[in-house]
Amino acid sequence: SAVISQKPSRDICQRGTSLTIQCQVDSQVTMMFWYRQQPGQSLTLIATANQGSEATYESGFVIDKFPISRPNLTFSTLTVSNMSPEDSSIYLCSVQGQSYEQYFGPGTRLTVT
Amino acid sequence: QKEVEQNSGPLSVPEGAIASLNCTYSDRGSQSFFWYRQYSGKSPELIMFIYSNGDKEDGRFTAQLNKASQYVSLLIRDSQPSDSATYLCAVNGNNFNKFYFGSGTKLNVKP
């Protein structure tokens, strides 16, 4: 399985600011995904990011709030814009394996004050 | 709306027992089924996946799939306290690129 890293691992941000989360993979992958996991909850897919194309967002998530970049096959970023306390969550990136399984990065724990 | 249902638990079993975790799904077109383990404060870790009806074994873990009943389960034999975690069931439908996660079952293995 791929080795996935995320930066930062955690951050505390003020309301109204933005944070960019980086996801780096040690091998080339076609499909990358961004999820949110709120305390005590399961994972919610934010968007799917393919290299060379616009990200595909799930219902309830918009590009203005969660812009995503996918400049190459090993890297992606998710920005959480104009943050509010409701954005406090763990943000996870994942990559798709050869059998459509997904492997997750360690996550970014975001607290908005 | 595709749905994946899991009993939230907690499911408590004594050490050495078999833990049985269950998952049902609503989309009959679902093709692939995945089990993840998530320790508190950690990200989900893939345990195993299954595509075909029947059983698939990997060490102490057995996944069972019954597409007619839209049911997938995970058995953990000889449960250990280190197995205490939340177990997430994930399903992808006709779109292989998209997962639908259940809410997870919290397992507690008592020494």
Side-chain angles (χ1 to χ4, degrees), chain A residues 33 37 42 58 99 102 105, chain B residues 36 38 43 51 97-99 102:
Chain A
F33 307 87
Q37 187 173 32
S42 190
E58 295 299 303
S99 300
Q102 291 186 23
Chain B
Y36 287 82
Q38 186 173 27
S43 62
Y51 296 147
N97 298 323
K98 188 171 175 178
F99 271 20

Side-chain angles (χ1 to χ4, degrees), chain A residues 31 33 35 37 41-43 45 48 58 92 96 99-107 109, chain B residues 32 34 36 38 41-46 49 51 88 92 96-99 101-104:
Chain A
M31 304 292 291
F33 307 87
Y35 288 85
Q37 187 173 32
Q41 303 295 315
S42 190
L43 285 78
L45 180 64
T48 301
E58 295 299 303
L92 295 148
Q96 188 179 68
S99 300
Y100 301 102
E101 75 278 22
Q102 291 186 23
Y103 300 98
F104 287 85
R109 184 179 295 271
Chain B
S32 313
F34 305 82
Y36 287 82
Q38 186 173 27
K42 301 295 186 181
S43 62
E45 173 192 7
L46 179 67
F49 52 86
Y51 296 147
L88 298 166
N92 60 11
F96 284 88
N97 298 323
K98 188 171 175 178
F99 271 20
F101 278 92
S103 57

Side-chain angles (χ1 to χ4, degrees), chain B residues 40-101:
Chain B
S40 181
K42 301 295 186 181
S43 62
E45 173 192 7
L46 179 67
I47 299 172
M48 62 191 304
F49 52 86
I50 186 167
Y51 296 147
S52 303
N53 276 329
D55 295 358
K56 180 181 179 182
E57 187 174 317
D58 184 359
R60 294 187 297 114
F61 299 98
T62 299
Q64 299 176 318
L65 176 61
N66 184 326
K67 289 187 177 180
S69 299
Q70 296 175 238
Y71 178 95
V72 58
S73 64
L74 180 71
L75 302 178
I76 306 176
R77 289 183 300 280
D78 188 24
S79 295
Q80 300 297 309
S82 59
D83 294 325
S84 297
T86 296
Y87 289 79
L88 298 166
C89 172
V91 175
N92 60 11
N94 291 325
N95 180 354
F96 284 88
N97 298 323
K98 188 171 175 178
F99 271 20
Y100 299 91
F101 278 92

